[in-house]
Amino acid sequence: MKVIKLVFITACLLFFEKEAVSQSKMKLEDVIKISIENNQSIKSSTYNIEKEKAINLKSFNIPKPELFIEYEGVQGSLSNADSRKIGITQMIEFPSNYFLRSDVQESQIKVAEEELNSSVNSLRTNVKLNYYNLLLLNELLIISKDNYKIYEEFLFTAEKKYEAGESSNLEVLGARVNKIKFENEIKNLESKIKSSQSEIRTLMNVDYDITPVEEISYTEVRLNKTELLTKAINNNPELKMLNFQKEKSSNKISLSKGELLPDISFKYFRQKISGDNNFWGMEVGLGVPLWFWWEQSGNIKESNYEFKIASSEEISFRKSLENEINKTFEEYENSLRQMKFFNEQAMKEADEILRQSKKSYDEGVIGYVEYLNALNLTYDTKTQYLNSIYNYNQSIINMEKLTAGELK
């Protein structure tokens, strides 16, 4: 029996210890940092850059030199040959081709770098959106719990009035229904919070949940649509990736044309003639591409079409980017307008309505219907205000993704 108790106590301690370390308070910057450090896709993109740099070393891949020995006029044995050559042969492409091939690979390295930047940019955006969503849910949970307490008090007061014969059973039923409604709302929000924490945990690639240190808030940022569009065109990693793809295709065109130039061969040898071993010689050859209308011509056409495809994709994405900037800017202006309205007017009036209606209801000046309307109005106003803050922050985050930079 003692053994069973000991095992049970140990299991409980381990369980509570696990629960104690399963939550971690964390700032947004720290969440982003850990997410980037642990993301496997970003690690793969980093390795891909190193791989492309390694491939660039092969741009100057000169063929292996060949050692040769030749015998002429052999009579009986090789030692009786009239002539013997010992030398080395080296084949190379036309020198400019090595540099053109390196240019193609340099463009591919830039593409790989922008793929990494795009992955980081997308991950940072996802983390921010989920973090701010978690902040919103936490705030909504707080006001739902506050409303739940109000309806508890409302139900208590309604029951006392009903017992004293000062009100109908309808008040009690209405208070009880609304109390149950907010019980359900609290459970829904708690479930959404767990889902949001799970999403952030996945993005961070960790085995614990995070609790935000901050509260939902906003900092007003004055944005100019023309400046945002310029930043997006200059900084957006996906657009830059397409630019470098086009640059790579252009370099491939130059390389394909350069392959029409002749290959060069060098041969240097020492020759023995009639017993005299002091003859030296050198040969230079050109490999003329007589059949250039086959492979080389096909390479040129292929590169030209790749360039046209890359140019078309760049134009299409640029128009799409401009459209996204316009849409996101409209969302920013609309959410900013709503947020200012709630902050400067509606929230103050809602608080005052709640204060006065509670006092009036307790004093019997208004009935439960008027008090119920006041409670619902106050709750809806606070909820809309919190959502307007989230929508404003969301528009800023989306704009930062499009411009690939922080907006202040």
Side-chain angles (χ1 to χ4, degrees):
M1 194 68 183
K2 291 182 178 180
V3 174
I4 296 175
K5 287 183 179 180
L6 181 61
V7 172
F8 178 75
I9 293 172
T10 304
C12 290
L13 290 173
L14 290 173
F15 174 78
F16 287 117
E17 182 181 359
K18 183 179 179 181
E19 286 296 310
V21 298
S22 63
Q23 294 283 337
S24 178
K25 291 185 177 181
M26 201 169 293
K27 294 182 179 179
L28 175 59
E29 292 79 7
D30 296 328
V31 176
I32 293 174
K33 181 181 177 182
I34 293 173
S35 299
I36 292 174
E37 289 175 351
N38 294 345
N39 187 270
Q40 295 301 317
S41 177
I42 289 176
K43 289 182 180 180
S44 297
S45 296
T46 303
Y47 296 144
N48 187 49
I49 293 173
E50 297 305 316
K51 184 198 77 173
E52 297 296 344
K53 288 180 179 179
I55 292 175
N56 194 32
L57 298 175
K58 297 161 59 177
S59 300
F60 293 88
N61 185 22
I62 300 174
K64 297 177 182 179
E66 296 181 3
L67 295 174
F68 70 91
I69 181 169
E70 295 179 6
Y71 291 89
E72 296 180 0
V74 178
Q75 299 177 8
S77 65
L78 294 177
S79 60
N80 295 324
D82 292 337
S83 173
R84 183 191 67 195
K85 290 182 181 178
I86 299 176
I88 185 171
T89 301
Q90 178 66 63
M91 296 286 298
I92 63 169
E93 291 185 77
F94 199 83
S96 61
N97 288 352
Y98 295 106
F99 296 98
L100 291 172
R101 190 170 289 109
S102 178
D103 290 341
V104 172
Q105 191 56 31
E106 286 289 347
S107 297
Q108 182 58 39
I109 292 173
K110 293 176 183 176
V111 170
E113 289 173 343
E114 292 308 322
E115 286 177 347
L116 172 62
N117 292 335
S118 179
S119 297
V120 172
N121 195 34
S122 295
L123 179 61
R124 183 181 287 111
T125 299
N126 288 336
V127 170
K128 284 184 176 181
L129 290 175
N130 279 280
Y131 190 90
Y132 277 99
N133 181 57
L134 185 56
L135 289 177
L136 172 65
L137 293 173
N138 285 336
E139 290 293 334
L140 290 175
L141 181 61
I142 290 172
I143 64 170
S144 291
K145 287 182 176 179
D146 290 341
N147 252 37
Y148 176 77
K149 291 179 181 178
I150 291 174
Y151 276 107
E152 272 191 323
E153 296 174 0
F154 182 30
L155 177 60
F156 177 78
T157 304
E159 288 174 338
K160 291 298 181 183
K161 285 185 176 183
Y162 176 71
E163 291 172 1
E166 297 176 2
S167 65
S168 66
N169 188 42
L170 190 60
E171 283 190 44
V172 178
L173 293 175
R176 187 172 290 126
V177 168
N178 280 282
K179 177 175 172 286
I180 294 172
K181 183 182 75 173
F182 277 97
E183 281 180 336
N184 184 59
E185 180 68 14
I186 289 170
K187 291 178 180 177
N188 287 338
L189 287 169
E190 288 174 341
S191 177
K192 290 180 180 179
I193 287 173
K194 289 180 180 178
S195 297
S196 182
Q197 287 178 322
S198 176
E199 184 68 25
I200 295 175
R201 185 173 67 245
T202 302
L203 290 171
M204 294 175 67
N205 195 19
V206 295
D207 57 0
Y208 55 85
D209 288 329
I210 71 113
T211 301
V213 175
E214 300 95 334
E215 296 180 354
I216 191 167
S217 61
Y218 72 94
T219 302
E220 186 173 342
V221 181
R222 306 308 302 177
L223 301 179
N224 180 279
K225 187 161 66 174
T226 303
E227 293 178 357
L228 290 170
L229 184 58
T230 301
K231 285 182 179 180
I233 291 173
N234 292 333
N235 300 331
N236 186 275
E238 294 179 64
L239 182 59
K240 291 173 75 173
M241 188 166 30
L242 292 173
N243 284 331
F244 290 131
Q245 286 282 13
K246 187 174 74 171
E247 178 186 282
K248 176 185 174 182
S249 299
S250 178
N251 290 334
K252 284 184 70 175
I253 293 174
S254 300
L255 175 60
S256 299
K257 292 179 178 178
E259 289 175 343
L260 294 173
L261 297 172
D263 294 338
I264 303 173
S265 63
F266 297 94
K267 182 182 289 186
Y268 184 74
F269 57 88
R270 183 176 182 179
Q271 188 171 11
K272 177 181 177 182
I273 301 176
S274 301
D276 190 347
N277 200 30
N278 292 318
F279 292 96
W280 297 86
M282 184 184 72
E283 294 180 11
V284 178
L286 296 177
V288 181
L290 295 177
W291 320 116
F292 65 88
W293 55 84
W294 293 94
E295 181 179 1
Q296 286 80 3
S297 179
N299 288 339
I300 292 173
K301 289 183 178 180
E302 179 185 2
S303 299
N304 275 310
Y305 283 120
E306 286 181 357
F307 180 80
K308 290 178 181 179
I309 292 171
S311 299
S312 177
E313 290 178 347
E314 180 195 18
I315 293 171
S316 176
F317 185 82
R318 180 164 176 165
K319 289 182 179 179
S320 175
L321 185 61
E322 291 176 0
N323 181 51
E324 288 299 317
I325 288 289
N326 290 330
K327 286 170 54 180
T328 308
F329 189 79
E330 289 299 323
E331 292 171 1
Y332 152 77
E333 288 192 320
N334 186 49
S335 58
L336 178 61
R337 176 186 58 78
Q338 291 184 34
M339 191 174 59
K340 282 187 172 182
F341 164 73
F342 283 109
N343 186 46
E344 295 172 1
Q345 300 180 42
M347 285 299 296
K348 295 177 182 178
E349 294 175 358
D351 289 339
E352 183 62 20
I353 289 173
L354 179 62
R355 187 188 67 80
Q356 290 187 14
S357 60
K358 186 178 186 306
K359 181 180 179 183
S360 299
Y361 178 75
D362 291 340
E363 295 174 352
V365 178
I366 62 173
Y368 88 98
V369 175
E370 292 86 353
Y371 186 37
L372 184 63
N373 289 335
L375 289 175
N376 288 333
L377 176 62
T378 303
Y379 176 76
D380 289 342
T381 302
K382 289 181 178 179
T383 301
Q384 291 180 49
Y385 175 56
L386 291 173
N387 277 293
S388 69
I389 295 177
Y390 173 76
N391 291 335
Y392 173 77
N393 287 326
Q394 183 183 44
S395 68
I396 296 295
I397 293 169
N398 289 332
M399 196 72 74
E400 288 178 337
K401 180 184 179 182
L402 296 172
T403 58
E406 191 173 356
L407 300 175
K408 295 182 178 180

